[in-house]
Amino acid sequence: MGLEISAYAPAAGFELTSVEGSCVLGLAYPRQGPACSALKLLGGGQFLGAVRADGFSKKAAARKLRDGWCQFSIQLDRGDFIFSDDITLSCLATGKTLGSVSLKQADPGVAPAQRGRRRSVKSLIHPDRRGMAAAEADQYFPLIERTAASLPDREFLSFAFRLLFNREPDADDLARYMKELDKSVSRAGTLRLMTSSSEFKSIDNLPSPFDEAFPGIPVFAPLRFA
Amino acid sequence: MTSSITAFFEISPLFERHWTGIPAVTAGLAFEAMHDSSTKWSFLYENILLERHVVAELLQRRSGGDHLSYLEQSLYDRQILTAESARNSVCLYPNVKALRRFFKREAIILHDFSYLLTPEFHTQDTIDHHANRILGDIESTDCFFCVSKATKSDLLNYFKTPEHSAKVLPIGLAIDPCVITACLKDRVAETCEPYVCVLGTIEPRKNGQIVIELIRRYPEFLAKQQVVFIGREGWNDEKRKLTAYLDSVGVDSNRIIFSGFVPEDAKIRLIMGSKFCIYPSFFEGFGIPVAESAALGKFVVCSNSSSMIEVAPDMSFFFDPSDVESLADACLKAEEAVAYSRLQKMRFPDIWERVQARSWDKAYAMVREWVKSGS
């Protein structure tokens, strides 16, 4: 056995949630730890590619699976089915077979020709923060509270500001929110105050827990299997 | 069967926040060592014993910046290697040696001697630190793992070490297949504005100046594609000097981008989206970015100095790093090659085969053989 050392955690759970056209969605989640799982796509014995299960799913969040951060999305094209009519999905960390998608289920497209304006180079350097829209920030609250649980209030505010506003709190921010915390406003309540501020309304996206921009090592809710 | 020899691996470079050449090589070998159940490996920061879960976390996060408090605690708890433990063991050092003749046998990974051979590219502190240590490190070492034939040649020529004690380590690559897949599915190369990457830290040795000079002489180069300097700012205020020079010669600096340090994902994305890459360094011990670019199917306009001619000659167009016309000629050849090759059409299995051809297991096999050899 030994230690699992890889950028990705072994998948303890796997589900295919939908196959629509060329898009395959599902969930893959480890038992514990800050790393997400990832899948290996195999067709006819050929390694066709790999995808991370690092996307957010509301359904997964409702089921308390990794606070929702365990969705994978696979975009198939006809070239993926050259070697076989079936694509096997296995855990990238362990190689264990988890599921499969057949050509009968999917309707893989041909990649459309690029039209219109090309993307900028700067978008490759600084991609949009890959988490979710700021409008859904309350989905982050359990994750923020758990990750920052051991931090004193001042460090908690620094953590929350770096995540929500992409900056450190200034003296005024610290004064304002430390006062709220001193009044026994809960940390969740303090987060709600931050996300109802006018500054937060100008924020588009928040980083995912697996982004470099996430200001700490995420602590996900422990899995509880029935 | 597990070897009876206890082997130590000093992995202090993994505690750097941003990993480049030396930490990347250290990590590649440390990963293999952690997975080798046939050898009793222990890990050190200088003489501080490291718990395996800490090493695993460093390798998983590919950064060491938050672990200094752990080291302080380990010192306080006296988790120090004893001379008795070391006496019958072997140790592999990733760069400079924290201890000499502490172990029964010692090996070192030698990256380059640039601080001796090209001191003009280093600060005096760096020169003093390395130059004052290297002779003692070499005299106390039994086996030298050199990252290139060029480094091995320098070792033998300048230090007169016995040839049998020096080996050339086949440097591996660790590229995330998920990032490659995402770039191919996003069709990054086809959907982005055309650009070329200039790889390397922004400092004098990496020779970014020659690319600026190329643009000054041949403004049509910048008209055809943007130029992206990928790398953190190094010493000697080089980035400010380059941008000041750009302004002074009236080059459109909006088409020249300095990315700064970028995370690994972004670096791979930038390489895969480029037309080709440029590596104009004056001196290298190996040149990992050349190997990465070539593995990802990108031609490299590459300096013909030191180790760089060894790395990926089949994917390189070489030039003299002191001659702008030589660079211009190599860039033209790269552009033609891009136009006529089918490399842009490669699918994941083709790229992965190229990446796997440079896996770390070959380098690790050499290290394991030394551990078990007794010499």
Side-chain angles (χ1 to χ4, degrees), chain B residues 113 117 146 148-161 163 166 168 310:
Chain B
F113 298 102
L117 301 176
C146 304
S148 62
K149 291 178 194 170
T151 298
K152 179 181 172 182
S153 174
D154 289 339
L155 172 69
L156 299 182
N157 286 331
Y158 293 109
F159 295 93
K160 308 299 180 195
T161 50
E163 181 157 7
V168 179
E310 302 171 40

Side-chain angles (χ1 to χ4, degrees), chain A residues 16-59:
Chain A
L16 268 182
T17 54
S18 74
V19 181
E20 286 183 20
S22 59
C23 184
V24 178
L25 289 178
L27 305 177
Y29 40 90
R31 193 171 298 276
Q32 60 191 10
C36 65
S37 294
L39 303 178
K40 196 171 177 175
L41 281 63
L42 296 158
Q46 283 269 341
F47 185 9
L48 301 176
V51 293
R52 293 172 178 158
D54 63 349
F56 181 79
S57 157
K58 278 189 185 172
K59 289 182 182 171

Side-chain angles (χ1 to χ4, degrees), chain B residues 229-283:
Chain B
F229 285 83
I230 303 176
R232 64 179 174 85
E233 290 182 43
W235 74 284
N236 205 39
D237 209 17
E238 185 74 1
K239 181 187 166 189
R240 189 194 59 77
K241 291 176 182 172
L242 290 179
T243 50
Y245 182 63
L246 278 172
D247 291 339
S248 72
V249 297
V251 169
D252 179 7
S253 58
N254 287 324
R255 291 185 60 76
I256 298 172
I257 299 165
F258 291 89
S259 73
F261 176 83
V262 293
E264 194 66 17
D265 283 11
K267 184 189 76 176
I268 298 303
R269 201 161 40 236
L270 284 164
I271 291 174
M272 289 191 71
S274 67
K275 282 172 69 173
F276 57 88
C277 299
I278 301 175
Y279 201 61
S281 178
F282 281 116
F283 186 98

Side-chain angles (χ1 to χ4, degrees), chain B residues 189 194-199 211 214 221 224-228 230 270-279 293-294 297-302 315-317 319 327-339 343-344:
Chain B
Y195 66 94
V196 297
C197 294
V198 182
L199 303 162
V211 178
L214 171 76
F221 184 84
K224 279 189 282 189
Q225 58 258 318
Q226 294 181 65
V227 175
V228 183
I230 303 176
L270 284 164
I271 291 174
M272 289 191 71
S274 67
K275 282 172 69 173
F276 57 88
C277 299
I278 301 175
Y279 201 61
S293 303
K298 296 297 168 180
F299 289 110
V300 187
V301 170
C302 184
M315 291 291 290
S316 299
F317 294 96
F319 71 97
L327 170 60
D329 189 50
C331 286
L332 275 176
K333 288 177 179 153
E335 284 184 26
E336 279 177 27
V338 169
L343 289 172
Q344 305 273 41

Side-chain angles (χ1 to χ4, degrees), chain A residues 3 5-6 8 46-50 52 75 77 79-80 112 114 118-121 124-125 127 212 217, chain B residues 31 34-35 60-61 176 178-179 181 185-187 190-193 195 228 257 265 269 347-349 352:
Chain A
L3 291 168
I5 309 152
S6 137
Y8 303 108
Q46 283 269 341
F47 185 9
L48 301 176
R52 293 172 178 158
Q75 204 64 36
D77 62 58
D80 294 321
Q114 179 64 22
R118 291 189 155 200
R119 71 171 96 174
S120 73
V121 179
L124 299 184
I125 299 170
E212 289 245 340
I217 301 174
Chain B
F31 181 90
M34 290 282 274
H35 282 85
Q60 191 165 65
R61 299 179 66 198
D176 188 338
C178 295
V179 180
T181 306
K185 291 291 183 183
D186 286 349
R187 300 170 67 216
E190 296 162 57
T191 58
C192 192
E193 301 168 305
Y195 66 94
V228 183
I257 299 165
D265 283 11
R269 201 161 40 236
R347 293 182 64 88
F348 179 89
W352 193 246

Side-chain angles (χ1 to χ4, degrees), chain B residues 3 31 35 81 124 126 129 161 163 236 254 283 307-308 333 354 366 374:
Chain B
S3 166
F31 181 90
H35 282 85
L81 178 68
Q124 192 59 48
T126 300
H129 174 70
T161 50
E163 181 157 7
N236 205 39
N254 287 324
F283 186 98
S307 67
M308 287 170 278
K333 288 177 179 153
R354 298 164 72 92
M366 203 176 267

